[in-house]
Amino acid sequence: MISNPVTGNPDYSRLHLVCGERGSGKTQVCAGLAQLLSLYGEDLAGLISPGVFVDGRKVGIEAYDLRSQQRRRLAALRTEQDAAEVMTKAWTFDSASLAWGDEVLRSATPCGVLIVDELGPLEFEQRRGWTAGLDALDGGDYRMAVAAIRPELLETALQRWPGAVVHPMASIDEVQFVFTALSRAAAEG
């Protein structure tokens, strides 16, 4: 991690937090940025977690490795009968896919641009899931990093990464605005 020369504290100004509720377009922003930067030959690493939709209803989540372009089914809607090892209120997670994703993030740095979509209650509150994503962001071995989080975790994230740039997304209408801001930051960095 690069330190601030004045304070000696870690400098997280190269870390961008895309912060929005479910359905606000966080993954769309991360995927669009990855697609744009790959056209320019950027050294991309990390994971994107697109939803799986059936008849317009989100029924699952995949994990997509930006380096290998491998995909895995990450989660399915939780049912009352589920007895999986890793669950949230809404989702049942595949333990093997979580371990795979954690390994992807463990080996993601060094890189040019690191994208972690998304870090949630599993990582911040339960210390499970993609904790290697937290470590990779902490380490700072990237030119720029983007992490998607939900508003209820923003305060916790900023305590961990003071100085990170926050890109709030109140609705899907802000996708283009946030995408443009991140694209400019990538070009300037």
Side-chain angles (χ1 to χ4, degrees), residues 24-86:
S24 63
K26 299 181 302 291
T27 297
Q28 189 176 349
V29 167
C30 291
L33 181 66
Q35 185 175 24
L36 175 69
L37 295 177
S38 70
L39 292 173
Y40 289 99
E42 181 66 61
D43 177 24
L44 289 171
L47 293 166
I48 296 186
S49 304
V52 176
F53 293 85
V54 174
D55 296 328
R57 182 172 171 249
K58 188 174 182 178
V59 297
I61 305 169
E62 288 188 332
Y64 176 75
D65 177 357
L66 292 169
R67 278 199 174 137
S68 73
Q69 299 180 357
Q70 288 184 328
R71 287 182 182 271
R72 301 265 175 109
R73 179 51 86 77
L74 179 63
L77 277 177
R78 183 175 174 177
T79 64
E80 289 185 26
Q81 304 90 304
D82 284 338
E85 181 182 332
V86 183

Side-chain angles (χ1 to χ4, degrees), residues 15-165:
L15 171 55
H16 297 259
L17 302 174
V18 178
C19 181
E21 298 288 350
R22 288 176 188 85
S24 63
K26 299 181 302 291
T27 297
Q28 189 176 349
V29 167
C30 291
L33 181 66
Q35 185 175 24
L36 175 69
L37 295 177
S38 70
L39 292 173
Y40 289 99
E42 181 66 61
D43 177 24
L44 289 171
L47 293 166
I48 296 186
S49 304
V52 176
F53 293 85
V54 174
D55 296 328
R57 182 172 171 249
K58 188 174 182 178
V59 297
I61 305 169
E62 288 188 332
Y64 176 75
D65 177 357
L66 292 169
R67 278 199 174 137
S68 73
Q69 299 180 357
Q70 288 184 328
R71 287 182 182 271
R72 301 265 175 109
R73 179 51 86 77
L74 179 63
L77 277 177
R78 183 175 174 177
T79 64
E80 289 185 26
Q81 304 90 304
D82 284 338
E85 181 182 332
V86 183
M87 295 187 291
T88 63
K89 291 178 185 175
W91 300 102
T92 299
F93 287 85
D94 181 281
S95 294
S97 293
L98 280 174
W100 169 80
D102 205 43
E103 187 54 39
V104 166
L105 293 169
R106 187 171 288 106
S107 62
T109 56
C111 65
V113 176
L114 174 64
I115 298 176
V116 185
D117 171 39
E118 120 178 28
L119 293 170
L122 278 180
E123 292 80 15
F124 282 106
E125 295 170 1
Q126 298 181 28
R127 297 294 303 153
R128 299 175 85 176
W130 293 345
T131 58
L134 297 171
D135 296 339
L137 294 169
D138 289 346
D141 203 2
Y142 46 77
R143 184 176 62 78
M144 175 182 170
V146 177
I149 62 167
R150 298 223 186 100
E152 63 268 20
L153 297 169
L154 182 59
E155 184 178 327
T156 302
L158 288 174
Q159 286 173 358
R160 186 175 189 125
W161 304 304
V165 180

